[in-house]
Amino acid sequence: MTQSLVPISLLVLSNVFMTFAWYGHLKSFKESALWVAILVSWGIAFFEYVLQVPANRIGYNHFTLPQLKIMQEVITMVVFAGFSVLYMKQSLKLDFLWAGLCLIGAVYFIFRSP
């Protein structure tokens, strides 16, 4: 694995934890007390930060700060789309595709100049 793929991989894993921390309770803990959902979400978010902080530290050696941010947003949308379909059983609408194309445009513009 090349050094530039390490932060990307860590960001993907971080986003999986983040997405479950933010939205997983809507399915898994909807009958639980709010404080239970909050504590479980905080516990999951801990692992997000364990991965996200090193991802950004390592990534900053290979990418600019704006490049890291745009990568994070694209990864977030891809992970969220998978989470929505696979875990929450939601269908993706055409507007999600248009939003994704806008993000691809953002990637192009942020990476096109050195």
Side-chain angles (χ1 to χ4, degrees):
M1 184 180 291
T2 66
Q3 285 296 333
S4 61
L5 289 179
V6 171
I8 295 169
S9 300
L10 290 171
L11 285 173
V12 169
L13 291 171
S14 167
N15 267 276
V16 170
F17 283 103
M18 177 195 74
T19 302
F20 272 94
W22 282 26
Y23 303 106
H25 63 88
L26 297 174
K27 179 178 180 180
S28 301
F29 291 92
K30 69 179 174 183
E31 303 299 324
S32 300
L34 181 58
W35 68 268
V36 172
I38 290 169
L39 289 178
V40 170
S41 293
W42 278 354
I44 295 169
F46 169 79
F47 295 101
E48 177 218 342
Y49 279 93
V50 165
L51 296 166
Q52 177 266 332
V53 170
N56 284 329
R57 285 199 172 199
I58 294 166
Y60 195 60
N61 293 324
H62 304 281
F63 304 105
T64 65
L65 187 61
Q67 288 173 336
L68 278 172
K69 180 59 180 167
I70 293 298
M71 278 193 307
Q72 172 68 31
E73 295 303 327
V74 170
I75 291 167
T76 297
M77 291 297 289
V78 170
V79 169
F80 183 77
F83 173 84
S84 294
V85 171
L86 299 172
Y87 186 74
M88 297 296 285
K89 307 297 183 204
Q90 301 280 316
S91 61
L92 293 181
K93 303 213 179 332
L94 194 55
D95 285 343
F96 204 86
L97 171 66
W98 301 133
L101 290 174
C102 289
L103 285 172
I104 290 170
V107 169
Y108 168 75
F109 286 114
I110 207 70
F111 279 94
R112 76 179 172 145
S113 57

